[in-house]
Amino acid sequence: MQLKKNKAGENPVFEPLLKYGLIKERFSALVTDAVRGELLENFGYKVQMIEFIDDEGTPKNLMIRAIKKSGLEEEAGAKKSSCKILQELGVSQTLENLLN
């Protein structure tokens, strides 16, 4: 996910999150994972977010585990809500394109 300065920067709410490189990087990672989880749920997956730490002492990571639910269709309203998040931030998500 790439935050577009012209879009996200137009909303003053995001200014403190985009001002410092490290904060912007962490914010972007969290938003990316949250949107991915939401998109997967909207397309009929059961989603779990799991934090894990590698044995070699690497930083904490987030794993998204998604299992397709059988016989369930995605909800159009929920799909729109995740798209609204993407529009508000001025970003696109490759996963959204793959699921469509």
Side-chain angles (χ1 to χ4, degrees):
M1 181 176 80
Q2 294 289 321
L3 285 173
K4 298 177 185 173
K5 289 183 183 179
N6 61 339
K7 281 292 209 178
E10 291 171 5
N11 188 335
V13 173
F14 296 117
E15 286 179 23
L17 298 169
L18 303 176
K19 185 175 181 181
Y20 304 103
L22 180 60
I23 302 298
K24 180 179 177 179
E25 179 182 329
R26 290 182 182 175
F27 170 70
S28 298
L30 287 172
V31 169
T32 297
D33 289 334
V35 168
R36 286 176 178 164
E38 186 75 11
L39 285 170
L40 287 164
E41 285 180 353
N42 295 340
F43 281 88
Y45 288 83
K46 179 181 176 187
V47 176
Q48 293 178 312
M49 300 274 184
I50 303 166
E51 184 177 57
F52 65 96
I53 302 172
D54 188 16
D55 292 337
E56 296 182 18
T58 60
K60 294 179 182 177
N61 294 294
L62 188 67
M63 177 173 62
I64 301 173
R65 181 169 40 195
I67 300 171
K68 184 73 170 171
K69 298 177 191 176
S70 61
L72 295 176
E73 297 295 324
E74 68 271 5
E75 298 178 24
K79 188 192 289 189
K80 289 180 184 175
S81 71
S82 63
C83 294
K84 184 176 179 182
I85 293 168
L86 296 172
Q87 291 171 354
E88 183 70 26
L89 292 172
V91 298
S92 62
Q93 178 58 252
T94 302
L95 179 59
E96 182 180 28
N97 297 331
L98 295 172
L99 291 169
N100 279 323

